[in-house]
Amino acid sequence: SACTSKAMNAKWMYLATCQLDDNCLTVESITTLNAQKADDYTHLAERLTSSGKWVAGIDVPIGMPIECIEYFQWLHPKDTEQSWAKYVERVRSMKTRKEFKKKIEGWRHPTKVNSSGDKERVRKYRLIDKLINSQSPMNCIRPAVGSMFFEACELLRATSASIVPVRTVIEENRHIVETYPRLVVDRLVGSSEYKEADDLEDVRQQIVTCLSDTCTESVILQWYGITVKMDDQIAKACVEDWDGDKIDSILCAVQAAWASRQDRFGIPQFASSVMNAIVALEGWVPDPFLAKWRAT
């Protein structure tokens, strides 16, 4: 199982390449995916189109909120196929992130105004964003997850791999799922901050320790059914990484590994066909927390 993190926003992107055997996820390497220029995603594109049998978890929103799709008319009544691929095609008719951001931020609330007297920007959320408390894909400022979506959807569109649940290809051996590392961290160390601030090495060390805990009562084993094995050099690099992107790449691999063993890759089957259709357009983050939440 392989996992990419972080995102398309002039930051370093890391790939944790892992092997899953029984209940042990072995981290073989953590490498950078950036090319020479910040906006050059050649290495990532190569990975996403590579052959073989793999599951990749990416820490990037793979879809937009249903209200956003409707408002900007990225799907039309005349479309014979109301699909993720069709609206992504229309999104990518915009050539630059700047153009995409301008369109998104042009949607203003009809009555609400901000402190400057301007109408407030509209921010809609996907169903999954509401459940896991993640940022709206319409947010094009820090964290610029909207820009991440804009760049990622083009790379995803170019691969023939199955992208669960927005473009599921049953016979494929290559599968891409959206991941959200914060969910894993919440299970391991609660709501503690672990990245992009000083004096957080102890928290990252605690996360690494929890990931590697092979005790039958370990949190990682109880929730995800696996433990993580990494050498001292990789563990040290994760602890010392101020941005937290290296440890995020492993956390994404944990979610991807869990998803690889679930029916429908952990994507829920809702009673309502409407709900299933919305999730197929917006995307989902497979995680045992959400599975147990639905069961209760």
Side-chain angles (χ1 to χ4, degrees):
S1 107
C3 160
T4 60
S5 171
K6 177 72 173 153
M8 295 63 177
N9 193 28
K11 287 188 65 175
W12 287 109
M13 296 183 292
Y14 289 98
L15 170 74
T17 303
C18 309
Q19 182 71 34
L20 180 62
D21 294 304
D22 294 328
N23 67 342
C24 182
L25 183 71
T26 302
V27 184
E28 298 177 340
S29 64
I30 296 180
T31 54
T32 58
L33 284 169
N34 298 66
Q36 294 299 317
K37 296 180 180 179
D39 287 347
D40 185 347
Y41 307 122
T42 306
H43 296 337
L44 177 56
E46 289 173 353
R47 287 286 186 168
L48 292 178
T49 55
S50 62
S51 60
K53 184 177 181 179
W54 48 259
V55 179
I58 62 171
D59 181 17
V60 176
I62 61 175
M64 295 296 287
I66 191 70
E67 295 103 326
C68 188
I69 297 168
E70 171 70 14
Y71 180 83
F72 292 115
Q73 298 181 14
W74 289 335
L75 286 177
H76 301 157
K78 64 182 180 181
D79 293 331
T80 55
E81 184 179 323
Q82 300 273 327
S83 67
W84 173 87
K86 173 56 70 174
Y87 83 77
V88 163
E89 178 184 333
R90 291 198 171 106
V91 169
R92 287 303 309 200
S93 67
M94 293 176 278
K95 301 302 182 184
T96 65
R97 289 197 301 265
K98 185 176 180 180
E99 186 180 352
F100 175 75
K101 179 181 178 181
K102 183 178 179 181
K103 176 174 279 290
I104 291 294
E105 296 195 340
W107 187 5
R108 302 286 174 146
H109 198 280
T111 58
K112 293 181 180 179
V113 295
N114 57 29
S115 57
S116 302
D118 300 320
K119 290 184 177 179
E120 287 186 0
R121 296 185 182 96
V122 171
R123 286 288 181 272
K124 297 296 183 179
Y125 293 80
R126 301 176 298 167
L127 172 61
I128 189 63
D129 298 322
K130 297 173 186 177
L131 294 176
I132 65 178
N133 197 32
S134 59
Q135 290 284 343
S136 166
M138 293 181 68
N139 189 27
C140 293
I141 56 177
R142 184 173 175 85
V145 288
S147 299
M148 298 174 194
F149 161 78
F150 181 77
E151 296 292 353
C153 71
E154 180 70 0
L155 298 175
L156 293 173
R157 190 164 70 117
T159 176
S160 58
S162 179
I163 310 167
V164 186
V166 298
R167 196 186 68 195
T168 303
V169 184
I170 302 299
E171 65 274 13
E172 257 293 348
N173 287 323
R174 302 165 301 158
H175 302 274
I176 299 167
V177 295
E178 180 180 341
T179 50
Y180 189 58
R182 180 76 244 183
L183 283 177
V184 188
V185 173
D186 286 346
R187 305 283 77 74
L188 300 181
V189 297
S191 59
S192 301
E193 292 301 321
Y194 67 102
K195 55 192 297 183
E196 297 181 348
D198 295 329
D199 303 320
L200 294 179
E201 285 195 3
D202 288 347
V203 181
R204 291 193 291 273
Q205 179 61 65
Q206 186 182 356
I207 294 171
V208 168
T209 301
C210 289
L211 288 172
S212 306
D213 187 0
T214 57
C215 172
T216 55
E217 300 299 319
S218 73
V219 176
I220 190 69
L221 192 59
Q222 287 185 343
W223 277 94
Y224 293 91
I226 61 174
T227 59
V228 178
K229 182 180 179 181
M230 66 186 89
D231 62 34
D232 292 341
Q233 185 176 359
I234 291 176
K236 185 173 184 288
C238 288
V239 171
E240 293 179 350
D241 178 27
W242 185 89
D243 288 315
D245 291 339
K246 291 180 180 178
I247 202 166
D248 269 357
S249 68
I250 295 176
L251 297 172
C252 289
V254 168
Q255 285 183 312
W258 178 84
S260 72
R261 293 181 164 182
Q262 308 305 310
D263 182 43
R264 292 166 46 89
F265 283 84
I267 307 301
Q269 181 71 51
F270 291 95
S272 164
S273 60
V274 173
M275 288 292 291
N276 290 318
I278 289 173
V279 169
L281 292 173
E282 293 186 337
W284 190 265
V285 174
D287 187 273
F289 169 72
L290 292 163
K292 293 188 178 184
W293 167 80
R294 288 196 76 228
T296 58

